[in-house]
Amino acid sequence: MKTSNVLVLLVVLLYISASTEWPTHTVCKEKDLEIYYKSCDPQQDFAFSIDKCSDITSHTFNIRAAIILRHSIKQLYVKINLIINGKTVLSYSESLCEPDNPQLVFCGKKKGEHIYYEGPVTLGIKEIPQGDYTVSAVLTNEDHLTVACADFTVKNYLDYY
């Protein structure tokens, strides 16, 4: 019995280690709007969810996100790109954690610590444009090491006009 359990565990571990990509996760899927994400960090996946797709266009909506840090965060930077048909059409970057100005509660967390956030987020958008596109987000620390990385696929079929 123990030998078969060990064998099954080894097969599962070999399958996981042989995989070169993380699975695509569904954030939400409603009538006219679908959002998916996939970690683009080959060494780490993470958890992310929202309550409802339709809440995104409201002023504030709730998210849940979790990750175990592979790198400490003294400083944290985010870079977000909007990609349509393989071309970056919008790029945004911001410092989220600085030594004298920690904007987020997890600034200063150490390697190996678990980060879990559940709470409100405001995007400042009134509508999600119709179409299919990718939003690429990369969080890096002061050593330019990837803390988290994801590509979000957004499919909006609703025509607001």
Side-chain angles (χ1 to χ4, degrees):
M1 179 74 172
K2 288 183 180 182
T3 305
S4 65
N5 288 344
V6 171
L7 185 58
V8 169
L9 180 60
L10 285 173
V11 170
V12 169
L13 289 175
L14 287 173
Y15 174 76
I16 290 170
S17 65
S19 175
T20 58
E21 291 187 352
W22 292 104
T24 299
H25 305 284
T26 301
V27 176
C28 59
K29 187 174 182 178
E30 293 181 3
K31 180 183 173 189
D32 296 320
L33 181 63
E34 299 175 17
I35 302 175
Y36 306 94
Y37 78 92
K38 180 188 285 191
S39 174
C40 49
D41 182 343
Q43 297 180 4
Q44 184 170 24
D45 202 359
F46 64 96
F48 179 83
S49 68
I50 63 173
D51 292 336
K52 296 185 306 186
C53 277
S54 58
D55 288 346
I56 292 175
T57 56
S58 66
H59 181 67
T60 301
F61 60 97
N62 290 317
I63 70 164
R64 285 166 301 286
I67 193 168
I68 297 174
L69 290 176
R70 289 187 310 116
H71 307 290
S72 297
I73 302 173
K74 291 178 186 169
Q75 297 176 14
L76 184 66
Y77 307 94
V78 63
K79 183 173 183 180
I80 300 172
N81 290 315
L82 174 60
I83 302 162
I84 300 174
N85 296 327
K87 292 183 74 175
T88 300
V89 295
L90 180 67
S91 189
Y92 171 82
S93 61
E94 182 177 350
S95 175
L96 301 175
C97 297
E98 295 178 349
D100 298 331
N101 185 20
Q103 294 182 28
L104 303 171
V105 295
F106 52 82
C107 295
K109 293 285 187 179
K110 306 278 188 239
K111 177 181 178 177
E113 289 188 280
H114 179 258
I115 292 179
Y116 177 77
Y117 176 79
E118 182 173 0
V121 169
T122 302
L123 289 180
I125 60 173
K126 294 184 180 180
E127 63 185 45
I128 296 174
Q130 184 181 9
D132 294 357
Y133 48 95
T134 300
V135 177
S136 175
V138 180
L139 294 167
T140 56
N141 71 1
E142 65 279 2
D143 298 322
H144 307 289
L145 299 171
T146 300
V147 173
C149 176
D151 291 324
F152 291 84
T153 300
V154 180
K155 297 180 178 192
N156 183 13
Y157 308 110
L158 181 62
D159 188 2
Y160 288 98
Y161 305 105

